[in-house]
Amino acid sequence: MGPAASRRRTARLLIGVLATGLVLATTPAISSADADPDAATVAPDGSHLVSLTLGEGRRADAEVYSAAMDKNIPLKLLIAPGDEPRPTLYVLDGVGGAEPENGILDWADAAEFYETKDVNVVATVGGDSSYFTDWQKDDPELGRNKWATFLTEELPPIINSTLNTTGKNAIVGLSMSATSVLALSIKSPDLYEGVASFSGCAQTSDPLGRAYVWITVANFGGNPDNMWGKPDDPAWEANDPYIHAAGLRGTALYIANASGLPGQYDNLEADNVDGEVSQLIAQLTAGGVIEAATNQCTHNLKSRLDSLGIPATYNLKDRGTHSWDYWRDDIHDSWPLLEESIN
């Protein structure tokens, strides 16, 4: 099995995991001078760059120690070559965390796409079922999750000093992390100039939204009570991007969703189906149900933003399921808005 076939086979992990719980789920080479680990910021709390290993072309692997989570967080990087400062695009993965890779870079072919762009890319690895938020308690299965603190407070200064950035940032997320990128932007309104959210549910605290969250967190054995407390805990509303959508004002927004009906990539010839009948069935069943659910959420978010007079660029597709080939198109289609926002 060749590399492409292997990647496509691995890509089925997400839809397979989602089906279990029906969750919402060549450029110039760089040199070591382009990224300086020794210059990286050490935060007062001790968060710091642990390692930076340069790979082929612009690719690199890094580990950053998070004091909030008391562990090293692996990252996948695409480092822009040359001496000029560049903006940064943060990429958050879906429900499975895709360890040891980042699913968006790998399965949605975003690495090949972003390698041609004038931007540094920082992609998370890990964060299974975490919603990339700060949990109230450590979880027996998912451990300590303080992702919002890590992503908005600990990591950006380290990236800015290590990669010689402009300080302008954008962020991309899909499925579970499509909710997260909205919440993180609201939490830190001066951090991200642009946000791209694909196939997510902004609602987290109403009965339907809470049900989606519970299924997603439980997908990898987590207990939602450890995240935001019992259903009546104020933390559920405090972390609801739909309720706090006014906090997105002034941020460039790209929001995409399909309907859940079979579309152009729901066939045996599609890249991430690759002739496998079981994968096609999963896309058409679980992938269709999940995308239909997030589609409802996304239309609700649009109505909310419209009522607040907050503009956004929407890509609401008549057909398509909760699967990687559609998100690959979203990666391409969202780039012009994100590029303009960070430049």
Side-chain angles (χ1 to χ4, degrees), residues 221-245:
N223 182 349
D225 286 351
N226 293 326
M227 187 168 74
W228 294 328
K230 298 293 184 182
D232 59 352
D233 193 301
W236 285 85
E237 289 192 1
N239 287 280
D240 190 323
Y242 177 87
I243 291 177
H244 300 285

Side-chain angles (χ1 to χ4, degrees), residues 179 182-183 186 201-206 236-248 296-305 307-308:
T179 306
L182 298 171
I186 293 168
C201 188
Q203 301 157 234
T204 63
S205 63
D206 67 344
W236 285 85
E237 289 192 1
N239 287 280
D240 190 323
Y242 177 87
I243 291 177
H244 300 285
L248 295 170
Q296 178 184 348
C297 290
T298 298
H299 279 84
N300 291 344
L301 176 62
K302 183 179 185 303
S303 296
R304 173 76 169 147
L305 292 173
S307 72
L308 293 169

Side-chain angles (χ1 to χ4, degrees), residues 13 28 40 71 86 89 121 129 138 156 158 189 195 278 282 314 339:
L13 172 64
K71 64 181 179 181
R86 302 310 209 293
L89 178 66
V121 175
S129 291
D138 293 354
I158 294 170
V195 174
S278 60
Y314 297 96
E339 181 181 35

Side-chain angles (χ1 to χ4, degrees), residues 54-340:
L54 302 177
E56 295 183 1
R58 293 173 55 172
R59 302 192 185 202
D61 293 294
E63 284 194 340
V64 170
Y65 173 73
S66 166
M69 289 188 275
D70 192 24
K71 64 181 179 181
N72 295 341
I73 306 298
L75 302 167
K76 296 290 181 179
L77 308 181
L78 299 174
I79 304 175
D83 298 327
E84 292 297 318
R86 302 310 209 293
T88 303
L89 178 66
Y90 290 89
V91 178
L92 305 189
D93 219 333
V95 63
E99 293 186 79
E101 303 296 330
N102 175 281
I104 299 179
L105 292 189
D106 190 18
W107 306 335
D109 295 334
E112 288 80 0
F113 179 75
Y114 289 139
E115 277 183 320
T116 67
K117 308 307 177 188
D118 202 26
V119 65
N120 293 302
V121 175
V122 178
T124 56
V125 176
D128 297 352
S129 291
S130 69
Y131 269 93
F132 295 105
T133 190
D134 283 357
W135 287 43
Q136 293 180 353
K137 301 176 183 177
D138 293 354
D139 187 85
E141 291 294 327
L142 302 181
R144 179 170 300 171
N145 287 294
K146 297 290 184 181
W147 283 96
T149 295
F150 175 69
L151 290 166
T152 64
E153 299 176 23
E154 297 177 333
L155 183 59
I158 294 170
I159 292 298
N160 289 342
S161 60
T162 304
L163 301 186
N164 187 25
T165 73
T166 63
K168 298 289 186 179
N169 307 305
I171 191 167
V172 173
L174 57 78
S175 194
M176 177 189 77
S177 66
T179 306
S180 308
V181 296
L182 298 171
L184 291 167
S185 181
I186 293 168
K187 169 182 168 60
S188 299
D190 297 325
L191 184 56
Y192 308 109
E193 309 297 325
V195 174
S197 173
F198 315 146
S199 302
C201 188
Q203 301 157 234
T204 63
S205 63
D206 67 344
L208 183 60
R210 194 183 303 119
Y212 294 155
V213 173
W214 271 72
I215 294 171
T216 303
V217 171
N219 200 84
F220 277 85
N223 182 349
D225 286 351
N226 293 326
M227 187 168 74
W228 294 328
K230 298 293 184 182
D232 59 352
D233 193 301
W236 285 85
E237 289 192 1
N239 287 280
D240 190 323
Y242 177 87
I243 291 177
H244 300 285
L248 295 170
R249 192 180 305 278
T251 303
L253 301 172
Y254 178 96
I255 299 171
N257 219 105
S259 67
L261 295 173
Q264 62 177 322
Y265 300 124
D266 297 299
N267 57 71
L268 291 173
E269 290 72 39
D271 281 353
N272 283 307
V273 176
D274 198 26
E276 292 198 11
V277 174
S278 60
Q279 172 63 17
L280 179 57
I281 292 173
Q283 284 188 197
L284 292 172
T285 54
V289 172
I290 296 163
E291 195 70 9
T294 61
N295 186 50
Q296 178 184 348
C297 290
T298 298
H299 279 84
N300 291 344
L301 176 62
K302 183 179 185 303
S303 296
R304 173 76 169 147
L305 292 173
D306 288 348
S307 72
L308 293 169
I310 296 176
T313 296
Y314 297 96
N315 186 358
L316 304 177
K317 291 158 277 195
D318 292 335
R319 293 186 171 272
T321 57
H322 206 74
S323 49
W324 291 105
D325 289 313
Y326 296 101
W327 296 327
R328 179 189 60 217
D329 288 353
D330 288 327
I331 291 292
H332 291 230
D333 294 340
S334 63
W335 174 246
L337 177 140
L338 295 178
E339 181 181 35
E340 182 178 3

